[in-house]
Structures are given as structure tokens and as C-alpha cells.
Amino acid sequence: MQNMIQTLAQYIKDTYNAELESQENIFSAGIIDSIGFVNLIGFITEEFKIELGPEDLVEDNFYSLERIAQFISEKKE
Amino acid sequence: MKPFLVQHFLEISSQKFPDKVAVKHGTESITFADLYQKSGSLGYGLQGLGIARGARVGILLDKSIAQVLSILGTLKAGFIFVTINPILKEKQIRHILKDCGIRLLIASEKYRRPLEHILPDTEVEKIIWHTELDEMIGACQDKKPRHIGTGEDIGSIIYTSGSTGLPKGIVISHRSLIEGARIVSGYLQITEHERILGLLPFNFDYGLNQLTATLYKGCTIVLFQFFMPNSLLNILSDEKITGLPAIPTIWSAVFNPQMCKLDPGQRYPDLRYISNTGGKLPVPIVKKIRQHFPTTRLFLMYGLTEAFRSTYLDPGEVDRRPDSIGKAIPNVWVEVINKNGKICEAGEVGELIHGGACISKGYWNNPELTARAFRPNPLLPAENQFLDRVVFSGDLVKKDREGFLYYVGRMDAMIKKEGYRVSPTEVEELLMGHQDVFEAVAYGIESQMAKNEIGALVVAKGEIDIKALTNYCRQNAPEYLVPDRILVMDEFPKTETGKIDRPRVIKEAHAKYDR
């Protein structure tokens, strides 16, 4: 779980040159927009080898790095 | 006499509909009376900072009620607002701040750290943080700014994304903003009962138009940040949205089955109109919108920030000519002219020029570029051409016998192949007609044999077979439109307004595939 959060935080740092706390709200942090979001989803599916369908793509599953990591773990089970 | 300044719209609506919600954002909302009162207090507070009239005020805030208040407070103080999209990169933000000499900035605390890097290079002297706005408004309660202005005063400078180089500042008068609100509200038939979705950013001229139309008509704007297409569809129903202005990228996400689950039975009884601008909507998407929103009127619009909007297609014509950009908007004329400055015949491709209302003042700090895009009216007798100023769009279009216009492409992007002038748009639409293609970019490749080739880059919806795609092109188009090379990309980089960043796409493709 911590590793996943770190990988995601590194991606945000590499892509946007910004730091994001693990519980910080991604949508209101103002560093990522809808297109950035599509890219983030692409990164998640490749990096963590999971498949996401349209029913997974709701804000509830992605609002913070911690929540994304939790969601990925659920999907992997 | 009023309205001749944008804030007069608010003044009039706050008298007519004091208790009605003007702006809604999530669970927050503000009435017309409150918006009038608070923006006045803010304007008074801003005037107290001792800045000269006509100063540019940068606004670096998320889409929010605070952002709306900052825009209106700035205008009431007699200043010029410059909204800066927070997702811009440091280099672009620095350029905007420096280019128009911003000294006062209203910003959200979360940009404190990046601003520390940006500001030392600029003339910014004072920052009002988001959290200090309420304090300033409270301290100036019941105070009104004194400002005498004219409709010719500059209201805003809008920085366009600019697919090449740094953004250009387009200077817009109060009069143009007012004309734009009146004309568009007129043909969209916006009334006080409207609930408009504020989906597009206010640093985009048509996004700002949703705010000015709301103030003008006394209706409600619901602010919304687009992330997931399903949330967009939900808010349409939840907020009983009646007007949805959007851009092509949003529709590609909505109709991408991997990103959005569409319920074919879902109906949107409140949704009265959808408008599209910011790029031509591919015909397959036009058809999908018509299928999914059968009772909603679809307005296809065309315009460029230099002249706000130029044309729209009557919704009644959409099914008959889904690829047309329609005819001139009221109080505006457009013509198609050839290289000699003469009006083109039906079917002949030429440059679109725009005359009449909504013409901006020019580019800030840039007389050369201004003289190139804003020119004397070539259709008047030579000795009097200087009396009328028109915008040369740089867009190639053609007109049919009934006067409907069709977008062909940018003048600087045409590909010459085997004696034909091929528009990248034509090739892109051909490719996107194939079921596996999600997005496409076409461009010219110069070759030594004096034979130019068409290169195409595509993003697939899933797997894609290049040979099958080429065959599909052959079956559906003349040979000169068929790309000579097709490369598959994982994704296309986009500009901050969501358009495909064509120069970057082409550069990245070369970096990836050239040895």
C-alpha cells in the first residue's frame, strides 16, 4: 500500500513537478485537469496491471493517492 | 443608457431578481443581490490599494464563486481582469504576468509554492490570497467603488493557448463583451429560467460568455469542473441543467466506451440546448449527440477569440448538413475571400473574414501582429477601406449555393499533394470514420522528390490494424486523401484548453519513430 502511494506520488512529481500528500484531494489540488486525469488512469492501468471499465471511472475511486492505492488493491483481489 | 459596462448587467439583474441564485458551485451558492453587494465591496477595497485605473489584475483561482467575485470586483474598480488558468505551466504563467505588466494578483494559497518561483521575474507587487478576499469584502461592507468608465474601455485580456509559441493577449472591450452576451443569448433564446452549466473555463472567451449571459438574463450558472464523463451526465440531471456549452474533447470522452457508460434509455427532459465551439465536431460525434439527446437543440458554433463568435448553424439544419458551421451570427457579417481580396464563388475555398460586432481591439503589446490580423475592409472602395476594420481569421472555408459555410482548415496547415490542396481536417475525419480510431492528426511531409506525402498519427480505441485502416481510407476517399504513412500513438498531448496540441504531437511522433 505504502509502495503504491509512493509510486503514484512520484508520477505526480515527475509529470507536474508538484507534491501531493497521500490524503490530499486530487480534484481540488489544482494541478491536474480532465486530460491529466485520463493520463493518470493510463499510468495506473499499465503500472499496476489492472483493467478498468467505465463503471470504475468515478471520482469516488480516485480522490486521493491513498484512495487510489486502496482502490487498486481491491481491484487486484 | 445602461448597460454599457459589463457590471451594469449585474446591477440591473440584482434589481429584478435580488433573491435568485446567480452562481452555484457544489453546495455553495450566491444570489444576485449578494453578488452585486459583495463585488462592490471588493471593488472598493481594490481601489483603496492605490493602483491606477486601467491596471491589469491577474486572477489565479479555480473555477469558483470567489473567481466570479474577483472578476466583477476588478471591473467595478475600473481595472482589467486577466484570468489565468491554474493548469498552465510556470513558463506560460510567467509570460502572461510579464506581458501585460500585472502588479496585483488574486491567487489561491495552493499556488503559493509555484508562485515563489515565478514572481521574482515579474512586476507583481501585491498578492491577495483567496482567504483574504472575505476579509476585504467584510471590511468594505456597504461601500461602493466610484468608477466612471465607457464601453470602449478594456474589460479583459484573454490569453489564447497558442499552438505555436507563447500565448498572445487578446484585448477585449466592455462593448464587445456586452455584444457577445446579447447576440449569443439572442439566438440561443436564453431566458431568466435557464440553468447553464459553467463547464468551460473563464479564460476562454466562450466560457466567459456563460457568465456574461447569466448576468445579462438573470438566470443561473452552475459551475462544474470536468473530470469524468459520467459525472457530467449525472450533473445534467441532478441540477436540471437546461444549457450545456461544451467543446469536442468533452464529447470524445463521453462517447468513448472505455471512459463512459451510456444508458441509451436515459433522457434529459430539462436540457434545452447543447452548443459546441472550440473546434469542429466530427460528424460521427454530431450524430451520436443527436441520438443520445434527441429532444435537445444542437448549436454548432464557429469563432476565434479575436472576433469572439462568427457563425452558427441553425439546429434545424444539423441533420441535413452536420459538417457545416452555418451562417453569420446576428450583427456580424462574414465573407469568404480569395488571394485578390475578392469574394469567392460557391464551392471555392478562401479565407474567412469577419466584420461588424464583437471585433476585439487587437493583441496587447503587439502592433505588428495586430496589423496582420485586423485589417481595413477589402470589400469597400479602396479610398475608404480604412473606415472599417475586419478580422482576417487565417481559416479556410467554403460556402455552398445556399450560403452555408464549411470549415476546410487552417491556412498555414494545408498539405499540397499531387496538385491538390489537402486539408488535414479532411484526412482526420476520414480516419475517424473508422470504428477503431479514437483521434487522428494529419500533416504534410516534404520529400526531396517534389512529391509531398501525407503523414497520419492515430490513437486507437483498442487494437488497430494499419493495413485495414489504409484499405478503409482507399474505399472511402479519393487516393490523394489517403495517408502515405500511418503511425499509432498511445495518446496525444493536449493544450490546456483541451485541444490536440498538433505541433507537439507531430514532434513527439518524430522523436519516437525517427532513428
Side-chain angles (χ1 to χ4, degrees):
Chain A
M1 188 77 173
Q2 274 312 316
N3 283 345
M4 272 193 248
I5 295 176
Q6 233 164 45
T7 310
L8 292 165
Q10 191 61 41
Y11 171 81
I12 296 289
K13 193 164 172 24
D14 294 344
T15 320
Y16 299 99
N17 189 23
E19 314 267 341
L20 210 54
E21 302 291 330
S22 63
Q23 292 182 355
E24 201 176 334
N25 189 309
I26 295 181
F27 299 105
S28 57
I31 51 169
I32 196 165
D33 66 338
S34 55
I35 292 139
F37 213 82
V38 174
N39 295 342
L40 173 66
I41 307 259
F43 172 78
I44 292 170
T45 50
E46 270 181 37
E47 180 72 25
F48 301 104
K49 313 249 176 311
I50 55 168
E51 290 209 4
L52 298 176
E55 60 283 354
D56 296 317
L57 298 182
V58 290
E59 274 88 343
D60 264 2
N61 293 334
F62 296 91
Y63 57 78
S64 70
L65 297 184
E66 193 179 85
R67 173 67 193 129
I68 297 175
Q70 192 190 355
F71 170 69
I72 296 168
S73 317
E74 287 163 15
K75 281 300 272 191
K76 283 194 153 185
E77 273 164 21
Chain B
M1 189 52 220
K2 288 178 183 177
F4 57 90
L5 298 174
V6 172
Q7 56 267 37
H8 295 158
F9 278 156
L10 173 59
E11 188 180 330
I12 295 165
S13 288
S14 71
Q15 287 159 4
K16 271 196 198 160
F17 311 105
D19 300 323
K20 188 168 169 184
V21 169
V23 187
K24 185 163 190 243
H25 183 220
T27 53
E28 279 183 275
S29 64
I30 187 164
T31 63
F32 278 97
D34 273 356
L35 191 59
Y36 176 71
Q37 219 260 321
K38 287 187 172 180
S39 57
S41 303
L42 181 58
Y44 184 88
L46 293 176
Q47 277 188 338
L49 298 172
I51 305 169
R53 185 180 149 187
R56 279 74 60 200
V57 177
I59 301 176
L60 184 65
L61 296 171
D62 284 337
K63 198 183 285 171
S64 57
I65 291 174
Q67 189 195 23
V68 173
L69 272 170
S70 301
I71 289 173
L72 290 164
T74 300
L75 290 176
K76 285 189 173 186
F79 301 151
I80 297 165
F81 72 91
V82 182
T83 20
I84 304 170
N85 194 334
I87 62 153
L88 287 175
K89 303 284 182 230
E90 282 185 17
K91 188 178 154 199
Q92 295 158 310
I93 295 181
R94 186 181 293 115
H95 168 73
I96 294 173
L97 294 175
K98 283 172 77 165
D99 188 56
C100 63
I102 288 175
R103 296 190 174 181
L104 173 64
L105 185 64
I106 304 176
S108 165
E109 276 82 357
K110 62 191 177 200
Y111 307 119
R112 201 183 275 268
R113 230 185 305 168
L115 280 174
E116 278 168 17
H117 287 262
I118 296 171
L119 293 186
D121 268 357
T122 69
E123 294 171 46
V124 174
E125 288 161 6
K126 173 146 183 73
I127 303 181
I128 301 174
W129 298 107
H130 183 178
T131 44
E132 295 168 339
L133 283 174
D134 276 344
E135 211 176 297
M136 187 176 249
I137 291 168
C140 306
Q141 221 173 349
D142 301 324
K143 294 274 186 12
K144 273 187 191 172
R146 242 187 302 161
H147 166 54
I148 306 156
T150 76
E152 284 306 319
D153 290 350
I154 301 169
S156 183
I157 303 177
I158 293 186
Y159 279 82
T160 58
S161 53
S163 39
T164 49
L166 288 163
K168 295 184 295 238
I170 298 171
V171 179
I172 305 184
S173 64
H174 279 263
R175 180 164 62 96
S176 279
L177 290 168
I178 288 176
E179 284 168 348
R182 281 193 167 137
I183 294 170
V184 173
S185 306
Y187 69 75
L188 292 179
Q189 295 173 347
I190 290 177
T191 69
E192 64 191 77
H193 304 296
E194 222 69 57
R195 291 177 67 78
I196 303 172
L197 194 67
L199 175 72
L200 306 173
F202 293 147
N203 65 311
F204 170 41
D205 62 344
Y206 187 56
L208 185 62
N209 182 262
Q210 274 95 69
L211 178 61
T212 52
T214 298
L215 300 175
Y216 168 43
K217 285 293 171 183
C219 58
T220 301
I221 182 169
V222 179
L223 303 181
F224 177 71
Q225 179 73 46
F226 177 79
F227 284 107
M228 312 253 182
N230 278 316
S231 314
L232 168 65
L233 298 176
N234 291 340
I235 199 169
L236 292 180
S237 305
D238 295 349
E239 287 288 350
K240 298 193 170 9
I241 297 297
T242 63
L244 170 58
I247 52 172
T249 337
I250 289 177
W251 294 113
S252 348
V254 168
F255 294 114
N256 177 352
Q258 282 175 316
M259 280 194 73
C260 185
K261 201 175 197 169
L262 284 178
D263 171 4
Q266 173 78 39
R267 288 293 166 259
Y268 304 87
D270 301 301
L271 191 62
R272 200 176 63 70
Y273 75 88
I274 290 172
S275 56
N276 178 72
T277 195
K280 188 178 170 184
L281 207 51
V283 173
I285 291 192
V286 171
K287 292 190 171 152
K288 281 180 182 154
I289 293 178
R290 295 285 300 129
Q291 267 166 24
H292 198 69
F293 303 92
T295 56
T296 303
R297 309 214 306 153
L298 174 60
F299 289 82
L300 303 177
M301 302 182 174
Y302 158 87
L304 62 164
T305 313
E306 285 81 347
F308 182 52
R309 295 303 93 177
S310 300
T311 70
Y312 80 97
L313 180 67
D314 185 295
E317 297 284 344
V318 170
D319 293 337
R320 210 170 314 156
R321 24 187 139 236
D323 51 344
S324 170
I325 57 171
K327 296 182 175 181
I329 63 174
N331 204 11
V332 161
W333 58 262
V334 296
E335 256 322 331
V336 191
I337 58 160
N338 60 26
K339 274 191 209 130
N340 309 320
K342 297 277 176 288
I343 296 177
C344 291
E345 319 237 318
E348 185 187 349
V349 174
E351 183 174 8
L352 182 142
I353 62 171
H354 170 127
C358 299
I359 297 180
S360 68
K361 286 180 174 281
Y363 303 110
W364 184 264
N365 274 351
N366 203 331
E368 295 83 24
L369 216 53
T370 302
R372 222 180 299 161
F374 301 81
R375 283 187 245 165
N377 182 350
L379 305 177
L380 291 178
E383 62 277 17
N384 278 323
Q385 293 187 351
F386 76 98
L387 289 173
D388 192 21
R389 198 164 154 265
V390 303
V391 172
F392 279 65
S393 67
D395 281 333
L396 291 172
V397 298
K398 61 186 177 190
K399 205 192 251 180
D400 67 15
R401 293 197 181 281
E402 289 162 85
F404 287 93
L405 292 156
Y406 298 81
Y407 180 80
V408 176
R410 287 294 297 169
M411 277 176 88
D412 43 21
M414 297 299 277
I415 308 166
K416 288 188 196 72
K417 190 187 169 189
E418 292 158 20
Y420 291 97
R421 276 162 71 88
V422 177
S423 137
T425 320
E426 265 181 294
V427 180
E428 285 157 14
E429 284 184 357
L430 171 65
L431 291 162
M432 285 176 64
H434 190 274
Q435 55 179 10
D436 296 333
V437 175
F438 176 46
E439 286 172 318
V441 164
Y443 61 105
I445 305 169
E446 306 256 335
S447 79
Q448 295 90 337
M449 311 296 284
K451 178 183 171 292
N452 286 347
E453 296 189 327
I454 299 176
L457 306 168
V458 297
V459 174
K461 286 178 184 158
E463 293 292 306
I464 194 158
D465 178 353
I466 297 289
K467 235 180 211 158
L469 179 58
T470 308
N471 283 338
Y472 167 86
C473 291
R474 289 228 158 82
Q475 284 157 13
N476 289 282
E479 188 62 31
Y480 67 85
L481 281 183
V482 178
D484 301 280
R485 292 187 229 171
I486 303 179
L487 298 174
V488 181
M489 310 267 288
D490 297 335
E491 66 188 347
F492 287 153
K494 302 278 164 62
T495 67
E496 64 277 0
T497 46
K499 291 184 192 175
I500 295 174
D501 188 343
R502 305 174 59 92
R504 232 178 97 200
V505 170
I506 296 166
K507 219 168 99 191
E508 282 184 13
H510 280 282
K512 192 170 166 191
Y513 289 99
D514 289 0
R515 58 253 111 194

